Amino acid sequence: MAATMVSSAGALLAMLNESHPQLKQHALYNLNKFVDQFWPEISTSVPLIESLYEDEEFDRHQRQLAALVVSKVFCYLGDLNDSLSYALGAGSLLMSLRILIMFILFLMCLNFDHLRSVVDIFKFAGASLVCLTFLFLFLTSAKAIDEYASLKAKATESNAEAANVDPRLEAIVERMLDKCIMDGKHQQAMGIAIECRRLDKLEEAITRSDNVHGTLSYCINVSHAFVSRREYRCEVLHLLVNVYQKLPYPDYLSICQCLMFLDEPEGVASILEKLLRSENKDDVLLAFQIAFDLVENEHQAFLLNVRDRLSVPKSQSSEMVQPKSSDPDPAQNNSSTASEDVQMTEGTSASIAIVQETDPNDAIYAERLTKIKGILSGETSIQLTLQFLYSHNKSDLLILKTIKQSVEMRNSVCHSATIYANAIMHAGTTVDTFLRENLDWLSRATNWAKFSATAGLGVIHRGHLQQGRSLMRPYLPQGGSGGGGSPYSEGGALYALGLIHANHGKGIKQFLRDSLRSTNVERFIYDSAVAGEAAGISMGLLMVGSASEKASEMLTYAHETQHEKIIRGLALGIALTVYGREEEADTLIEQMTRDQDPILRYGGMYALALAYRGTANNKAIRQLLHFAVSDVSDDVRRTAVLALGFVLYSEPEQTPRIVSLLSESYNPHVRYGAALAVGISCAGTGLSEAISLLEPLTSDVVDFVRQGALIAMAMVMVQMNEAGDSRVGTFRRQLEKIILDKHEDTMSKMGAILASGILDAGGRNVTIRLLSKTKHDKVTAVVGLAVFSQFWYWYPLIYFISLSFSPTAFIGLNYDLKVPKFEFLSNAKPSLFEYPKPTTVPTTTSAVKLPTAVLSTSAKAKARAKKEAEQKANAEKAAGAESSSAATNTGKEKSSSEKDADSMQVDSQPEKKAGPEPSFEILTNPARVVPAQEKFIKFMEDSRYAPVKFVPSGFVLLRDLQPTEPEVLSLTDAPSSTVSPAGDSATGQQGSASAMAVDEEPQPPQPFEYTS
Amino acid sequence: MDPKLAEVSQLFERFKAACAREDVDTCCNVLSKLKVLLTGFSSLPPLFEDTPNAIHELTLARDIYEHAVLLSVKIGDQDAFERDFFQLKPYYTDASSSRLPPSSQEYMILGLNLLRLLVQNRIAEFHTELELLSSTALENPCIKHAVELEQSFMEGAYNRVLSAKQTVPCKTYDYFMDLLAKTVRDEIAGCSEKAYGYLSVSDARQMLLFSSDNELLQYIKEEQPEWEIKTGQVIFQKAKESASCKEIPSLQLINQTLSYARELERIV
């Protein structure tokens, strides 16, 4: 017999009207069974069932049943509040009914606010069974808990007692929590406890779990991802730190991360000190690792605080303090080459000398202290990064050459774009070969172009702390004499210095201040308005995240001044001051976004973006979307869309979905904003959806949209090769086509040139990363990108993108903070992550009209032979590059091939296309590890070194398992033996700089001059 | 035989006997007991479980509910009719897929229900019910009768409605036909109220299909107390004062539409 199904609830509803209570009961019981099917029919009779629930004469169980039915119907109707109030009436029935899963699933779908938690659950609950149980457990009272949580939240916000919370609610929530804890579902319990602000239960859940460390780190993740109120998040983190410290083996790494978020340098300092004073070398390594992790977050003020709070060994405190207090000594400046940069070493060497006479324990501590201070000040990491980028530089000069050839001489925009591209390509590598070889061409730069050309040097030499000053000396204003240099190049040079020392000011600040004073007249002769704008921005940069009252002062001034540029500068400056303040910034944002002046509203958008950076805060997104579609000013709309990129960078998968509609807007400004938003938030991810969204925009009808899309695409694709996504190759070809096309608009041409620069940024060894490995935001990177996005108004701001570059390197360090040579494994096909092949396309080589064309064709022939194609091509290319320069000599050939051989260390498996590709690759410390590759990195079991904490990239402290054997160090020899490749060809002034080499720093390139 | 089933059958016999005696009170009491007993069978709607005695139980339950419906007509309880009918319906609509043979009373009861809806002026539900019927059902005289009535009713051919009383297919229909006459009269009254300012008493009598003036006067007294009778005229207190149709705020609407269009353009 075919299963007979009832087709209507009419009969049951009719039965409810019967007078006999037993009939009513029967009807209710069956209604409850069929409610999932017939809720639309039942919904018309809800008042009837409600009256049953309220009927005092009715049996208690029946009344609960009635409440349950009503609750379910309301749930289906989407009226969750009513549903909840009846569900409470249903009492114990709610927990015991199996069918409720259905009810729950609906609850989930109806209420989009829950989607996030549900997704989260799926993510964390692995097996399907766990999943289902959890779904049931969590969601039966999801609404109840929500209600409870919001009541609690309200109570805490108004500082009132939580007395008015329904005791029934409280009971449900507590029952849920206890049940979770009892069943060992600690993650769920923690989630609920956090939501409900029951820190007592949270603590209980954590301490009672079997894997306290795992639970704690889960909890940290959750609190960052889902606790939207900053204040409350701090409370949670405080609790976590407390729990951590009670553990027998505390996880100092995590504690320090928490403390950093809480901005408590004292805590970090005391932990570091404890570790440093430990007998065990491993503890010291751990301290170093903590320091490196902290540095990665680029929270400079915090780092300085930590550094200053590290207590010095007794008997030398006075000495240590003394040099620091003399820090801003103006006498040392101006002419002398021995700058404050070395001061740190001076101070410490003095202290070491003294320690030798005192306690040996103290001596060891002092030595360690020196190291950790070096790390905390960022110097160690900058220095190592610099060495890495220099030795691994793989930038493709041929691309630049092609660009140079194709760009029209008189077109200054493209000309400077090429200079920008060069700077970005070589950011941080200190390789300025291209500039040296094209001095004539470079000298066409005038005025602002000259400014940016000079500033470009700063990008190339970024992080070259020690030599920064001497390098830029020829361009800097000379004492008080006024020199011969044009104000533009001088201005550029100061800008360059700023970039070199970004975020590690210390010594250089004073110098900049002095030269500003002395060159005031000169520097500001160009437009006082420009100066005003610059001042606005720089005020913001100085006060990043300080939320000081200065902001309102700036706002008042912005109202008073007439000049657009100054207002814009100030607006951005204000936006920068509220960096990361979230709710605290709301009043200011409100003030700015309601302003009459579109420029201030525009600043408001930035303020929103920066205050809520990376939080994916719903409120901020809603506000931005509102402005994106409703503001009257195109600038504001563009910025609002762009700002979405900043708010969402922690969840890059979301951005393409959110801006996809906007990217089809009729307004080109909105499309441009959408492109950049995707570019910013998906930077370096190579996200497929992002690429799909940007692709059509790169052939938009409006030129500046094309420009934005090209730049954004390059940001997304940075460091990807064709093996990762075939569209990368297509994009490269498209860029080439645009650059070579004579009829292309200047705007998009510029975009294409910049895009090719970004695509190969930093010698193909850096990526754009806004989040550190611990998921904290990198202040400098975010701010850098924010200012970069201003290049719409002033091109030299493009250089700010270099602040957001972070090297994709694995650098292992030993106790002495040196880089030992050892090998580790990348468990993936080498071709997936190798460098893109250098360009040897016939069109490009023929475009270079040089006698060396023969060499290129021979290179092609060899490439066809498929034997060490890459190596050869590199050598050939280098040779080609040399012959184009004025002077040639053999020494240079040698040095460049040496360099090539050096970089080939990375690709230890030469490409053999004939045989099957190996499924793994052996990398040598230090190695390039691109973000997508990180999950494949493994340490070899028989390796001599073991990491203190396993992380697949960045700085990793290594424990030496065979301390007695001598260590082989890498990175130390390369820079000292390879003198700057173009050394001899430079004109004049050589020799002087080479004498100043400090440590293992690469030699600074010879200063060169171009004549205007 | 299953003891439970036997008990129900026995009770049902008592019920039928009471019906035959026209002992309404006993009928109601026994019926209530029967219904409670029926809830104990899981083979009945809405569960439709496949028990060994399913067919037997279903048939019996259907019989009981059919009797219940007829009883409610007899005592003129429309609410009870509705209740019982809805409980009976699954036996017709859903149980047909099982081996339950169709009931002989089915069309008669469906027709009664249609008539009830017509009487209660629930035309929408009437048509909903109609749509659910098969084409063969529509050919059935009981159903046909109700459908024709509805058509005449809608056309305003009230005389045909009243004359249809003579052609009822079944005696039980009389109750509803009487009610229908009253519904028709109410309709006419409603219409004349709208159409005329006043009517002479004789015209009104004709119009409202009364045979004597007294009947008319009594009707007015009971049902239409706001009507006045003056000097042989029935004066309707119709909505004389009912304001002329409100003016459409055209300008405002145009403005609004335009601004929507503008907003839309801005959004996209």
Side-chain angles (χ1 to χ4, degrees):
Chain A
M1 183 163 97
T4 313
M5 285 297 296
V6 68
S7 64
S8 155
L12 293 171
L13 291 173
M15 203 183 269
L16 277 182
N17 284 317
E18 295 278 1
S19 50
H20 201 291
Q22 224 171 322
L23 288 175
K24 288 184 185 181
Q25 178 184 341
H26 179 76
L28 265 183
Y29 177 73
N30 282 306
L31 276 178
N32 184 35
K33 270 189 185 165
F34 288 94
V35 68
D36 303 314
Q37 205 180 337
F38 297 121
W39 61 268
E41 259 184 292
I42 301 174
S43 65
T44 54
S45 305
V46 158
L48 181 66
I49 312 177
E50 280 174 342
S51 67
L52 289 182
Y53 167 59
E54 279 149 20
D55 188 352
E56 298 284 334
E57 288 165 23
F58 221 34
D59 177 63
R60 192 177 142 268
H61 181 78
Q62 302 314 312
R63 291 179 56 195
Q64 286 188 345
L65 196 60
L68 184 63
V69 173
V70 177
S71 164
K72 285 183 186 179
V73 173
F74 274 126
C75 172
Y76 279 109
L77 290 172
D79 190 345
L80 293 183
N81 282 327
D82 280 343
S83 174
L84 173 66
S85 63
Y86 280 100
L88 289 174
S92 55
L93 277 182
L94 188 66
M95 301 296 286
S96 59
L97 283 175
R98 220 166 1 99
I99 325 157
L100 272 185
I101 290 184
M102 187 66 208
F103 160 71
I104 287 141
L105 285 172
F106 250 83
L107 205 139
M108 202 168 81
C109 303
L110 288 171
N111 190 348
F112 285 100
D113 287 350
H114 280 161
L115 277 184
R116 253 179 90 147
S117 20
V118 171
V119 170
D120 187 36
I121 298 154
F122 276 109
K123 232 186 264 169
F124 287 109
S128 60
L129 189 71
V130 179
C131 222
L132 207 68
T133 338
F134 182 39
L135 255 184
F136 177 66
L137 274 176
F138 182 80
L139 290 166
T140 29
S141 349
K143 183 63 198 172
I145 289 168
D146 260 18
E147 178 97 331
Y148 181 69
S150 75
L151 279 174
K152 275 283 211 181
K154 266 183 223 147
T156 33
E157 271 156 37
S158 59
N159 283 330
E161 280 297 300
N164 50 354
V165 176
D166 192 333
R168 292 181 301 177
L169 256 179
E170 191 120 27
I172 284 197
V173 172
E174 288 203 352
R175 199 166 54 200
M176 281 297 305
L177 283 170
D178 290 341
K179 199 166 168 164
C180 284
I181 295 174
M182 294 280 278
D183 296 355
K185 302 206 171 35
H186 300 284
Q187 297 193 340
Q188 290 86 316
M190 283 178 338
I192 299 168
I194 290 178
E195 280 266 301
C196 299
R197 300 176 182 246
R198 291 291 298 261
L199 293 183
D200 50 334
K201 289 281 174 194
L202 178 64
E203 192 170 351
E204 189 187 335
I206 294 172
T207 45
R208 287 182 56 179
S209 69
D210 340 310
N211 175 9
V212 181
H213 284 285
T215 333
L216 275 173
S217 62
Y218 167 82
C219 199
I220 291 178
N221 277 338
V222 169
S223 62
H224 280 294
F226 300 116
V227 180
S228 56
R229 269 183 74 83
R230 189 184 150 95
E231 243 174 75
Y232 179 53
R233 188 160 51 207
C234 286
E235 260 176 63
V236 174
L237 290 179
H238 261 298
L239 175 93
L240 293 182
V241 171
N242 281 340
V243 177
Y244 261 130
Q245 279 166 346
K246 278 184 217 151
L247 297 180
Y249 304 104
D251 178 359
Y252 289 118
L253 282 168
S254 311
I255 297 184
C256 288
Q257 291 292 336
C258 287
L259 286 172
M260 190 191 71
F261 182 83
L262 293 171
D263 201 13
E264 283 183 5
E266 300 89 353
V268 179
S270 70
I271 289 174
L272 285 180
E273 205 177 318
K274 196 165 121 202
L275 289 173
L276 285 179
R277 285 193 188 278
S278 155
E279 300 285 306
N280 192 341
K281 247 185 170 184
D282 288 352
D283 283 349
V284 182
L285 288 176
L286 186 64
F288 291 160
Q289 183 71 58
I290 291 172
F292 272 120
D293 283 359
L294 293 178
V295 168
E296 208 204 338
N297 292 313
E298 298 176 341
H299 197 321
Q300 202 196 359
F302 178 78
L303 294 174
L304 287 178
N305 263 331
V306 173
R307 204 186 61 187
D308 294 345
R309 280 192 169 78
L310 283 176
S311 71
V312 290
K314 41 192 152 52
S315 85
Q316 63 170 118
S317 45
S318 55
E319 282 84 356
M320 280 300 286
V321 175
Q322 196 257 332
K324 233 180 269 163
S325 63
S326 71
D327 194 87
D329 185 358
Q332 277 187 325
N333 280 308
N334 286 342
S335 56
S336 97
T337 44
S339 66
E340 299 89 340
D341 296 327
V342 232
Q343 206 174 29
M344 193 65 217
T345 22
E346 273 174 14
T348 45
S349 64
S351 65
I352 289 169
I354 292 167
V355 175
Q356 276 159 357
E357 298 153 24
T358 58
D359 188 13
N361 266 345
D362 268 2
I364 295 169
Y365 173 68
E367 182 215 335
R368 291 169 179 170
L369 194 66
T370 319
K371 282 185 194 159
I372 206 152
K373 286 198 171 181
I375 299 171
L376 285 177
S377 68
E379 279 163 24
T380 316
S381 59
I382 288 174
Q383 199 173 317
L384 287 166
T385 311
L386 191 66
Q387 284 173 16
F388 170 80
L389 287 179
Y390 173 69
S391 61
H392 285 69
N393 177 27
K394 288 283 262 180
S395 61
D396 192 344
L397 283 177
L398 208 56
I399 294 177
L400 275 176
K401 206 167 260 177
T402 321
I403 296 173
K404 199 195 95 186
Q405 299 284 333
S406 59
V407 165
E408 263 179 82
M409 291 304 172
R410 278 160 300 162
N411 191 337
S412 73
V413 174
C414 290
H415 185 271
S416 18
T418 317
I419 296 173
Y420 295 136
N422 169 54
I424 293 170
M425 258 190 206
H426 294 100
T429 62
T430 73
V431 176
D432 48 13
T433 330
F434 179 75
L435 294 181
R436 281 164 197 288
E437 283 170 2
N438 299 293
L439 289 181
D440 276 351
W441 174 80
L442 201 59
S443 65
R444 289 203 195 92
T446 50
N447 297 345
W448 282 110
K450 195 167 193 175
F451 175 93
S452 47
T454 321
L457 277 178
V459 176
I460 295 178
H461 291 283
R462 165 145 204 251
H464 211 161
L465 295 187
Q466 265 93 341
Q467 306 293 324
R469 283 270 291 290
S470 55
L471 197 74
M472 299 310 294
R473 198 157 38 123
Y475 316 111
L476 286 172
Q478 303 290 322
S481 65
S486 77
Y488 289 106
S489 69
E490 283 174 9
L494 289 170
Y495 182 27
L497 268 185
L499 289 169
I500 292 179
H501 291 267
N503 212 2
H504 300 281
K506 234 181 38 177
I508 209 74
K509 259 188 211 154
Q510 185 61 34
F511 173 77
L512 280 178
R513 217 171 297 147
D514 277 6
S515 44
L516 256 183
R517 218 170 295 138
S518 64
T519 55
N520 239 344
V521 200
E522 275 180 284
R523 198 171 127 84
F524 294 148
I525 45 172
Y526 26 91
D527 191 0
S528 69
V530 177
E533 180 173 15
I537 297 178
S538 54
M539 274 170 88
L541 287 175
L542 279 176
M543 297 189 286
V544 163
S546 60
S548 60
E549 299 103 41
K550 278 278 189 317
S552 49
E553 235 172 82
M554 285 161 84
L555 197 60
T556 339
Y557 183 66
H559 279 297
E560 283 164 11
T561 182
Q562 291 293 314
H563 217 293
E564 261 186 28
K565 283 191 173 169
I566 300 181
I567 302 177
R568 188 175 307 126
L570 284 170
L572 185 66
I574 298 168
L576 288 169
T577 58
V578 296
Y579 175 90
R581 309 308 288 197
E582 299 182 24
E583 292 89 0
E584 286 171 48
D586 278 353
T587 27
L588 193 70
I589 291 171
E590 179 84 13
Q591 228 176 327
M592 290 176 82
T593 50
R594 295 209 167 183
D595 206 281
Q596 292 283 315
D597 189 345
I599 302 178
L600 279 179
R601 287 205 301 279
Y602 154 95
M605 296 303 108
Y606 268 106
L608 256 175
L610 292 175
Y612 289 98
R613 82 282 168 269
T615 55
N617 185 301
N618 275 336
K619 198 183 85 190
I621 293 173
R622 206 165 39 235
Q623 240 174 317
L624 286 173
L625 282 175
H626 173 75
F627 279 102
V629 294
S630 66
D631 204 278
V632 286
S633 157
D634 279 340
D635 285 342
V636 179
R637 295 177 64 174
R638 185 183 65 235
T639 319
V641 184
L642 193 148
L644 281 173
F646 283 103
V647 177
L648 284 166
Y649 68 72
S650 58
E651 291 176 20
E653 314 81 38
Q654 298 277 349
T655 323
R657 198 173 53 78
I658 287 183
V659 300
S660 65
L661 264 183
L662 294 169
S663 75
E664 289 160 17
S665 161
Y666 81 101
N667 185 329
H669 289 268
V670 173
R671 292 203 299 275
Y672 175 91
L676 276 192
V678 172
I680 290 165
S681 63
C682 306
T685 58
L687 206 69
S688 176
E689 294 85 15
I691 297 175
S692 315
L693 185 125
L694 289 172
E695 240 174 359
L697 289 176
T698 56
S699 43
D700 199 273
V701 286
V702 181
D703 52 358
F704 66 81
V705 179
R706 286 202 295 277
Q707 181 194 50
L710 289 171
I711 293 175
M713 187 76 115
M715 287 165 78
V716 174
M717 285 183 173
V718 70
Q719 270 205 338
M720 284 181 75
N721 63 13
E722 271 192 76
D725 195 324
S726 61
R727 287 176 289 188
V728 178
T730 327
F731 181 60
R732 279 184 187 274
R733 284 189 287 282
Q734 186 189 4
L735 286 180
E736 198 186 357
K737 207 183 119 238
I738 293 175
I739 293 168
L740 292 175
D741 187 352
K742 288 255 184 305
H743 305 291
E744 190 62 48
D745 287 300
T746 313
M747 285 291 265
S748 54
K749 214 167 205 175
M750 175 192 165
I753 295 172
L754 286 177
S756 22
I758 296 171
L759 214 47
D760 291 332
R764 294 182 170 168
N765 281 317
V766 299
T767 185
I768 300 173
R769 215 195 286 234
L770 298 177
L771 283 175
S772 67
K773 282 187 291 295
T774 43
K775 303 284 175 220
H776 290 277
D777 46 321
K778 299 174 73 163
V779 185
T780 319
V782 178
V783 170
L785 262 194
V787 183
F788 161 74
S789 60
Q790 297 281 310
F791 75 86
W792 177 274
Y793 298 104
W794 197 49
Y795 289 148
L797 290 179
I798 287 170
Y799 286 137
F800 267 86
I801 198 177
S802 68
L803 297 186
S804 64
F805 290 156
S806 69
T808 51
F810 176 96
I811 302 178
L813 297 172
N814 63 8
Y815 174 72
D816 300 317
L817 300 186
K818 297 273 188 284
V819 185
K821 203 167 211 151
F822 85 109
E823 292 181 333
F824 56 97
L825 215 63
S826 162
N827 242 336
K829 288 181 185 172
S831 73
L832 271 180
F833 305 113
E834 70 188 0
Y835 291 102
K837 296 195 185 53
T839 43
T840 49
V841 198
T843 51
T844 50
T845 45
S846 62
V848 185
K849 285 172 191 149
L850 287 169
T852 48
V854 191
L855 277 172
S856 306
T857 45
S858 72
K860 259 166 54 200
K862 274 172 193 159
R864 243 175 267 124
K866 318 271 186 197
K867 194 69 183 164
E868 297 179 339
E870 200 176 347
Q871 236 163 336
K872 291 284 185 212
N874 255 356
E876 231 74 272
K877 190 198 71 200
E882 274 151 28
S883 51
S884 71
S885 74
T888 46
N889 67 26
T890 46
K892 238 174 18 178
E893 290 244 19
K894 216 168 102 193
S895 68
S896 60
S897 56
E898 227 179 88
K899 192 187 88 192
D900 272 348
D902 187 25
S903 47
M904 281 311 293
Q905 278 180 357
V906 190
D907 316 325
S908 54
Q909 303 279 324
E911 205 187 1
K912 281 177 197 142
K913 282 189 182 155
E917 203 184 0
S919 62
F920 64 91
E921 186 179 19
I922 292 177
L923 302 172
T924 314
N925 182 37
R928 172 188 193 253
V929 175
V930 298
Q933 195 176 1
E934 286 175 2
K935 54 179 175 287
F936 300 110
I937 298 298
K938 293 252 157 41
F939 272 74
M940 289 192 214
E941 276 167 21
D942 54 350
S943 172
R944 174 174 167 182
Y945 296 98
V948 169
K949 162 201 167 195
F950 181 74
V951 275
S953 76
F955 295 100
V956 181
L957 265 294
L958 300 169
R959 203 181 302 130
D960 192 350
L961 301 177
Q962 297 152 325
T964 48
E965 285 173 42
E967 288 181 298
V968 187
L969 301 180
S970 57
L971 264 197
T972 46
D973 49 336
S976 54
S977 69
T978 31
V979 185
S980 167
D984 295 348
S985 65
T987 54
Q989 288 194 1
Q990 68 264 70
S992 64
S994 59
M996 306 185 306
V998 187
D999 284 345
E1000 304 91 33
E1001 278 268 322
Q1003 287 279 344
Q1006 309 292 324
F1008 62 90
E1009 292 233 54
Y1010 51 85
T1011 45
S1012 47
Chain B
M1 196 184 237
D2 188 43
K4 250 162 72 183
L5 194 56
E7 190 191 347
V8 174
S9 314
Q10 211 181 347
L11 209 55
F12 186 39
E13 290 308 320
R14 269 179 62 197
F15 171 73
K16 279 199 267 197
C19 273
R21 287 201 312 276
E22 306 251 320
D23 183 353
V24 177
D25 286 344
T26 324
C27 278
C28 290
N29 282 337
V30 176
L31 183 63
S32 171
K33 272 182 210 156
L34 274 173
K35 281 181 180 171
V36 173
L37 282 176
L38 284 180
T39 59
F41 295 109
S42 60
S43 62
L44 303 186
L47 300 174
F48 285 124
E49 271 170 34
D50 193 6
T51 55
N53 289 322
I55 301 292
H56 204 105
E57 287 164 7
L58 279 171
T59 322
L60 185 62
R62 187 177 65 188
D63 236 16
I64 292 172
Y65 278 114
E66 278 172 352
H67 274 86
V69 169
L70 295 178
L71 176 71
S72 66
V73 174
K74 202 175 279 173
I75 59 176
D77 185 345
Q78 289 188 37
D79 285 342
F81 179 92
E82 189 175 352
R83 242 179 5 240
D84 293 329
F85 176 75
F86 271 120
Q87 290 178 62
L88 176 60
K89 221 178 144 198
Y91 294 91
Y92 293 150
T93 54
D94 303 330
S96 54
S97 66
S98 57
R99 285 161 299 178
L100 189 67
S103 155
S104 55
Q105 307 247 54
E106 179 171 350
Y107 292 123
M108 195 266 282
I109 287 180
L110 287 178
L112 264 181
N113 184 47
L114 288 175
L115 214 53
R116 171 187 69 94
L117 290 172
L118 209 52
V119 167
Q120 292 173 344
N121 219 353
R122 287 152 76 172
I123 305 300
E125 280 165 82
F126 178 90
H127 283 282
T128 316
E129 290 292 326
L130 216 53
E131 289 303 317
L132 292 171
L133 294 176
S134 64
S135 52
T136 46
L138 290 177
E139 293 302 312
N140 188 283
C142 294
I143 309 289
K144 225 173 174 174
H145 177 74
V147 173
E148 277 165 6
L149 267 181
E150 193 263 350
Q151 279 163 359
S152 325
F153 193 55
M154 287 299 109
E155 282 168 24
Y158 294 132
N159 54 341
R160 254 194 281 155
V161 174
L162 294 181
S163 64
K165 202 184 166 188
Q166 274 78 54
T167 61
V168 284
C170 172
K171 213 170 122 301
T172 35
Y173 279 45
D174 282 347
Y175 166 67
F176 282 115
M177 290 312 291
D178 289 340
L179 287 177
L180 194 59
K182 193 175 168 303
T183 310
V184 165
R185 194 163 287 135
D186 286 345
E187 280 293 303
I188 296 173
C191 289
S192 31
E193 210 176 23
K194 288 267 173 344
Y196 307 102
Y198 58 87
L199 275 175
S200 69
V201 171
S202 60
D203 285 348
R205 178 175 56 83
Q206 235 171 355
M207 192 79 81
L208 294 172
L209 309 162
F210 283 115
S211 44
S212 70
D213 283 1
N214 268 347
E215 274 177 307
L216 174 69
L217 293 179
Q218 199 178 351
Y219 172 76
I220 291 174
K221 209 166 142 197
E222 281 170 11
E223 304 288 329
Q224 311 286 353
E226 67 271 25
W227 293 359
E228 277 181 54
I229 302 169
K230 266 187 201 160
T231 60
Q233 307 274 344
V234 180
I235 301 166
F236 304 115
Q237 299 292 319
K238 70 159 183 180
K240 276 181 201 139
E241 64 284 354
S242 71
S244 57
C245 278
K246 267 190 199 155
E247 204 181 321
I248 298 169
S250 46
L251 262 180
Q252 193 194 338
L253 279 177
I254 292 169
N255 274 334
Q256 235 162 29
T257 320
L258 280 178
S259 77
Y260 286 153
R262 231 189 339 267
E263 296 274 317
L264 264 178
E265 194 184 336
R266 235 194 254 160
I267 290 165
V268 182

